Amino acid sequence: MYRITVILMIAVLFNSSIIYADKDNVSIRIEMLPWEKVNNILPKYSKFTVLDVETGKKFQVQRRAGSNHADVQPLTSKDTKIMKKVYDGKWSWKRRAIIVINGNQWIAASMHGMPHGAGALKNNFPGHFCIHFYGSTTHRTNFMDLSHKLMILKSAGKLQEYVNNNDPYEIIRAFIAGLKQQDAQIVSAVSLQKIKWKSLLENVENINLSRMLVMPIEDLTEELSLEIPIEVDMVIKDSGGRSFKGKINLVRFSPYSAWKIDSIQFLEDSQLVLKNNKKA
């Protein structure tokens, strides 16, 4: 299984949805199944494995509840310990790309790492946490949470396809979501420049897009560059909260190319950029 995990991480990095597990080309397909199907595949009290895409760590969980997504708990104290290591020893609402392994079926999913609500298992986990699949919604809305959606696409190897075929406003939303979730792969997918994201993202404790001026998409079909006015609220490590009111610049090389964000300009304008951390 160690070899499969390593190959999985490489495959996700390069946006592949099929993993070859050995020299005989035995393959495991990562499926991006809609929540309606997963809800039946993983009924209440079912047990399955969670594989974290970034770290390759695995732990067992049990679904306990949930109607719009799966409310789950780590199965044992050992599983709780592994899950906490995935989050660097600190529970967090940050979304993470995961693979749910149920027998021979591998399903793209997303989780957060914050215990909340009730818990029923003796596992040293004070509550439950949520796992989202494609089409899952939160308790508060009837729409997919964008950060969960991006993580599911990342798990399924479909993130680049998503950003290549979306409008500039969705690209901006994905960029802000990637900063919020401290996910280098998401922000890199929409960035014009290569940037050393790791140390920069560690300083973004929170960021939210509070306002964006949106024009009709049909008015942008021939545009190759855009300046989109935005307002952003953010919390920066050791600096506290502040707001940015300005613009994001986007470019593409033809009307059929993907939109890319001028990340360096945004980081400088918003004062998110760190010294000596502009280019890779």
Side-chain angles (χ1 to χ4, degrees):
M1 182 58 73
Y2 175 75
R3 288 184 63 196
I4 294 177
T5 300
V6 172
I7 298 170
L8 167 66
M9 296 173 71
I10 295 171
V12 171
L13 180 63
F14 289 97
N15 293 292
S16 171
S17 59
I18 298 177
I19 298 125
Y20 292 100
D22 60 29
K23 64 182 180 180
D24 297 319
N25 284 343
V26 176
S27 63
I28 298 174
R29 181 180 296 275
I30 303 173
E31 300 179 272
M32 193 171 75
L33 298 179
W35 167 242
E36 290 78 7
K37 287 188 177 181
V38 179
N39 193 28
N40 294 321
I41 294 171
L42 303 173
K44 188 177 179 181
Y45 303 126
S46 60
K47 299 174 184 178
F48 49 91
T49 300
V50 169
L51 170 61
D52 180 68
V53 168
E54 292 288 340
T55 65
K57 295 183 183 299
K58 305 191 302 292
F59 57 95
Q60 304 294 309
V61 301
Q62 183 182 51
R63 181 181 176 188
R64 302 294 303 184
S67 57
N68 297 322
H69 55 260
D71 291 339
V72 304
Q73 294 178 242
L75 202 56
T76 67
S77 297
K78 180 181 177 181
D79 294 305
T80 296
K81 187 175 181 180
I82 295 170
M83 180 181 174
K84 198 164 189 178
K85 285 182 179 179
V86 167
Y87 278 93
D88 295 324
K90 185 178 180 181
W91 298 126
S92 171
W93 288 108
K94 299 293 185 186
R95 281 60 163 142
R96 294 187 68 90
I98 61 171
I99 305 295
V100 164
I101 304 174
N102 180 51
N104 292 325
Q105 195 166 30
W106 290 33
I107 308 171
S110 172
M111 72 175 182
H112 68 65
M114 181 59 72
H116 65 287
L121 303 179
K122 294 181 179 180
N123 56 9
N124 288 328
F125 191 86
H128 65 269
F129 69 100
C130 301
I131 293 181
H132 283 233
F133 300 87
Y134 199 80
S136 291
T137 60
T138 64
H139 293 293
R140 299 177 182 177
T141 72
N142 293 321
F143 303 98
M144 283 192 73
D145 174 83
L146 177 59
S147 294
H148 277 308
K149 181 179 180 178
L150 292 169
M151 293 300 176
I152 293 165
L153 291 165
K154 175 180 172 180
S155 301
K158 296 180 181 295
L159 178 61
Q160 196 63 55
E161 178 185 347
Y162 176 80
V163 300
N164 285 349
N165 294 285
N166 245 300
D167 64 68
Y169 305 111
E170 194 65 15
I171 297 303
I172 291 174
R173 294 185 185 99
F175 179 65
I176 298 299
L179 292 174
K180 183 182 181 72
Q181 303 306 324
Q182 300 175 320
D183 192 282
Q185 187 174 340
I186 293 174
V187 291
S188 294
V190 299
S191 176
L192 178 64
Q193 303 95 346
K194 292 184 178 180
I195 293 175
K196 296 178 181 178
W197 286 108
K198 185 176 179 181
S199 59
L200 188 151
L201 292 173
E202 289 174 351
N203 287 277
V204 183
E205 294 186 351
N206 198 8
I207 184 167
N208 291 290
L209 182 64
S210 56
R211 183 176 179 272
M212 177 167 60
L213 181 62
V214 177
M215 295 176 60
I217 298 300
E218 55 268 24
D219 292 347
L220 307 177
T221 55
E222 300 300 321
E223 299 294 334
L224 298 181
S225 63
L226 291 171
E227 292 184 353
I228 308 295
I230 62 165
E231 293 181 22
V232 172
D233 298 316
M234 48 193 163
V235 179
I236 306 303
K237 185 178 179 180
D238 299 327
S239 297
R242 63 174 186 260
S243 297
F244 166 71
K245 184 176 181 180
K247 62 188 179 183
I248 283 187
N249 297 317
L250 301 97
V251 298
R252 58 180 175 176
F253 300 106
S254 79
Y256 309 103
S257 301
W259 287 103
K260 297 291 183 180
I261 288 176
D262 186 343
S263 300
I264 290 178
Q265 190 64 56
F266 172 75
L267 295 172
E268 290 178 345
D269 291 348
S270 63
Q271 299 182 349
L272 275 174
V273 71
L274 301 179
K275 187 177 180 180
N276 299 324
N277 196 37
K278 292 184 180 180
K279 295 184 179 179

